[in-house]
Amino acid sequence: MKRIYADNAATTRLSSTALEAMLPYFREQFGNPSSFYREGQQAKSAIEQARIEIAGCIGADYKQITFTSGGSEADNQALLTAAALGRSQGKMHIISTAFEHHAILHPLKALEKEGFRVTLLDVHENGIVDVAELEEAIGEDTCLVSVMFANNEIGTIQPIAEIGAVCRKHGVLFHTDAVQAVGHLEIDVERMCIDMLSASAHKFHGPKGTGFLYARKGIRLRPLIAGGAQEKSKRAGTENVAGIVGMAAALTESNARMCEQNKHIAACRDALIAGLEEIEHCALNGDKEHRLPSNVSFCFEGIEGESLLLLLDDKGICASSGSACTSGSLDPSHVLMAIGRVHDVAHGSLRLTLGEDITKEDVTFIIQAVKEVVERLRSFSPVWRDLCTGKAKHIL
Amino acid sequence: MALYSEKVMDHFRNPRNLGVIEDADGVGEVGNAKCGDIMKMYLKIEDDTIQDVKFETFGCASAIASSSMATELIKGQPVSKAMELTNQAVAEALDGLPDYKLHCSVLAEQAIKSALEDYESKKEKKNNA
């Protein structure tokens, strides 16, 4: 059976270019970048070359890039750095949003326990931060604003340049978790006034376990891992040489093809959205216009997401959901709750995130499959029965 | 390692006793949409024996499989025996459920019991009248 991979927000396939670039660093050029002999120095120059390439892709200087184990580590390090700086200046207030990734929300909870005041901005029904509300929330004691570039579940793109400008105006540090955006959207840290930015390689066809944190000149990153002097003592531990090299190759490739590919992916996305909207009592999650070219997110009334995913898997489709059963907790996704979806509806969510290999035929197939599966699950759902007989009211 | 046993997947893909019984002798509904699981059981009972049972479920694969298995376990059984159904029996018959999904089997047990209680209370009312 043909498999259609529509979960590119979870992870992406390693590109051939990245794999080819990585291979020599496992065996032939296996040297430790900290070693003085030529094998070591070759590895060292490979990661420095990667740093230059990566910096170039986001409009940064190579000195501003620190390699990490991925997006979560970069997020944690950015928050810890800003918090430490804030504490030293007596600024104990942090602004973020209600629908950030847990790699932001959980460290913020920990900082709250340490005495920080955290404001989580509303992201409204469309899943977009209101810049005026953000500016309103900034106070004398605000040390950091952290707003994700694009949301991982509903794909909404935030007004990053405007937020950056507001933060710069008020002299507040601005961090963005750009894990879903890097390699997919144009990013210029200078123009967008971004002070810190987190990225993860496996979201743009690079390898897993590698990411980076950009930090503007003048921001002294606090190490999360203490030890050797790697990464200018900002991240101890022998560098993941192959991973870093693969990340740079993947990002360079993604950036070069971004424009052309986004057109194709967005056209498929729009066709998919139009097809799924034909299903009765469903709704697209997040703003239709300001969203990642790859993201399709829906809620369907009367069904539960995990069942939906497993039946789609049987049909060869890889997708994800924000239902409680798939989140491993009793509550459905905090992102869907943040845009005002009630529990009943949030349980019936479906996320499809398309990659460059998606075809028009795949889209037609997915639409048909989702229609069949939704109809099947509704056919024996007591919730759907109550909605149809008028015992309960439709929300969507 | 798959998320679910083959038995769970079989009952999820091909649920037994799916549907409603219009003139049911006992109906039970448990769970709520907030938590993401609702089960509704319909019983047809003659001579204190479960002649027929149907169910509808809103929920995850293990919820659907648990309700399907529960109906199989009580179909044709005397009411007294059905009252003894436990969630462990449901989970075991499914070759086990992941720990965090055990509540689905509890819900299935409760749904059956709720339907049986409905039957008993209807019977009592009838007898009193």
Side-chain angles (χ1 to χ4, degrees):
Chain A
M1 193 208 318
K2 189 190 170 187
R3 301 287 296 170
I4 299 176
Y5 186 74
D7 202 15
N8 285 276
T11 194
T12 58
R13 186 193 301 275
L14 186 71
S15 85
S16 304
T17 313
L19 177 64
E20 287 303 318
M22 291 170 77
L23 284 176
Y25 295 95
F26 288 108
R27 289 177 60 83
E28 293 104 59
Q29 299 179 47
F30 65 93
N32 187 324
S34 300
S35 300
F36 281 104
Y37 41 82
R38 60 197 67 183
E39 284 82 352
Q41 290 310 298
Q42 277 166 359
K44 173 89 182 151
S45 82
I47 61 173
E48 291 317 315
Q49 183 56 35
R51 204 186 305 276
I52 292 167
E53 285 173 33
I54 286 168
C57 289
I58 60 164
D61 184 86
Y62 72 95
K63 289 179 191 151
Q64 301 165 329
I65 304 294
T66 301
F67 295 123
T68 68
S69 66
S72 292
E73 186 187 327
D75 281 344
N76 274 261
Q77 191 164 13
L79 294 184
L80 188 93
T81 296
L85 204 63
R87 189 188 290 278
S88 72
Q89 298 167 342
K91 294 180 172 180
M92 300 286 282
H93 179 225
I94 299 172
I95 300 170
S96 190
T97 78
F99 75 162
E100 293 295 312
H101 192 275
H102 285 131
I104 293 291
L105 292 178
H106 289 179
L108 285 180
K109 271 261 172 284
L111 287 171
E112 249 178 345
K113 285 203 184 112
E114 286 177 25
F116 281 85
R117 194 161 57 83
V118 175
T119 304
L120 294 182
L121 296 170
D122 192 356
V123 290
H124 309 277
E125 210 186 318
N126 63 359
I128 294 175
V129 169
D130 184 322
V131 182
E133 281 175 19
L134 186 143
E135 185 162 19
E136 187 76 17
I138 294 177
E140 287 292 309
D141 62 341
T142 308
C143 63
L144 174 73
V145 169
S146 179
V147 176
M148 66 200 323
F149 208 112
N151 183 269
N152 51 314
E153 287 187 39
I154 59 171
T156 50
I157 300 169
Q158 304 307 307
I160 292 299
E162 291 171 54
I163 296 171
V166 163
C167 291
R168 197 59 58 89
K169 186 172 99 184
H170 291 274
V172 177
L173 280 183
F174 174 42
H175 165 256
T176 183
D177 170 353
V179 164
Q180 295 292 333
V182 172
H184 302 284
L185 298 175
E186 280 199 41
I187 297 175
D188 185 330
V189 291
E190 285 298 324
R191 184 177 64 76
M192 294 173 163
C193 301
I194 297 168
D195 296 317
M196 288 188 279
L197 174 147
S198 313
S200 174
H202 75 105
K203 306 292 190 183
F204 50 80
H205 303 283
K208 292 168 184 64
T210 313
F212 68 85
L213 174 59
Y214 153 82
R216 184 172 51 80
K217 189 167 180 263
I219 299 172
R220 261 183 68 135
L221 292 179
R222 312 280 156 136
L224 295 183
I225 299 172
Q230 293 90 351
E231 295 301 286
K232 299 215 183 317
S233 297
K234 289 176 290 192
R235 209 282 184 182
T238 299
E239 301 86 340
N240 177 0
V241 180
I244 290 166
V245 168
M247 169 160 66
L251 185 54
T252 304
E253 185 177 40
S254 291
N255 260 29
R257 294 158 67 172
M258 187 191 294
C259 219
E260 178 196 338
Q261 270 173 6
N262 279 354
K263 265 188 218 151
H264 166 68
I265 296 173
C268 288
R269 172 200 65 188
D270 293 341
L272 188 49
I273 289 174
L276 295 181
E277 277 177 336
E278 286 172 11
I279 297 173
E280 54 177 351
H281 301 294
C282 73
L284 179 72
N285 295 316
D287 194 85
K288 207 169 194 170
E289 205 177 314
H290 300 285
R291 72 189 297 129
L292 290 167
S294 57
N295 182 287
V296 175
S297 170
F298 270 88
C299 279
F300 300 98
E301 267 190 321
I303 61 163
E304 193 280 328
E306 190 209 80
S307 299
L308 180 64
L309 295 189
L310 289 172
L311 291 179
L312 287 176
D313 182 25
D314 279 350
K315 289 177 182 288
I317 299 167
C318 308
S320 81
S321 169
S323 82
C325 279
T326 57
S327 72
S329 74
L330 276 178
D331 283 319
S333 131
H334 69 285
V335 174
L336 297 173
M337 305 305 280
I339 60 165
R341 295 284 185 229
V342 295
H343 279 75
D344 315 34
V345 167
H347 285 301
S349 71
L350 173 69
R351 180 187 74 177
L352 297 152
T353 43
L354 313 179
E356 63 201 59
D357 53 349
I358 195 84
T359 66
K360 286 273 159 68
E361 290 72 33
D362 291 340
V363 169
T364 309
F365 182 83
I366 295 173
I367 293 167
Q368 189 53 35
V370 174
K371 280 181 179 173
E372 282 170 24
V373 170
V374 169
E375 193 180 339
R376 160 109 181 118
L377 290 172
R378 279 176 173 174
S379 76
F380 57 81
S381 160
V383 175
W384 183 247
R385 172 176 299 278
D386 285 351
L387 289 167
C388 290
T389 54
K391 240 176 108 179
K393 272 212 170 100
H394 284 291
I395 303 165
L396 304 180
Chain B
M1 172 59 195
L3 182 61
Y4 293 123
S5 71
E6 275 304 313
K7 265 236 175 92
V8 171
M9 288 309 289
D10 177 37
H11 276 262
F12 164 60
R13 289 182 182 121
N14 312 293
R16 327 295 201 260
N17 306 310
L18 210 51
V20 296
I21 298 173
E22 293 297 346
D23 58 343
D25 299 308
V27 179
E29 184 174 319
V30 294
N32 62 68
K34 202 174 173 221
C35 299
D37 294 300
I38 297 183
M39 290 181 194
K40 198 165 181 179
M41 295 279 177
Y42 303 83
L43 302 174
K44 193 76 201 151
I45 298 173
E46 272 169 48
D47 303 329
D48 274 333
T49 300
I50 296 164
Q51 298 294 338
D52 198 9
V53 49
K54 298 268 187 221
F55 82 93
E56 289 182 309
T57 291
F58 161 90
C60 58
S62 63
I64 292 167
S66 292
S67 27
S68 169
M69 182 53 86
T71 61
E72 285 237 294
L73 291 175
I74 63 154
K75 199 171 176 178
Q77 298 289 327
V79 168
S80 57
K81 190 89 191 289
M83 271 312 269
E84 290 168 9
L85 180 79
T86 63
N87 81 295
Q88 289 98 324
V90 174
E92 272 167 31
L94 288 167
D95 290 343
L97 286 170
D99 281 352
Y100 67 104
K101 295 285 188 177
L102 277 173
H103 71 276
C104 293
S105 61
V106 174
L107 217 53
E109 176 196 318
Q110 289 171 347
I112 298 283
K113 289 194 172 154
S114 157
L116 285 168
E117 277 158 20
D118 180 52
Y119 161 71
E120 296 287 358
S121 75
K122 273 180 186 157
K123 198 168 85 173
E124 212 164 287
K125 262 189 211 157
K126 223 191 250 173
N127 288 347
N128 290 343

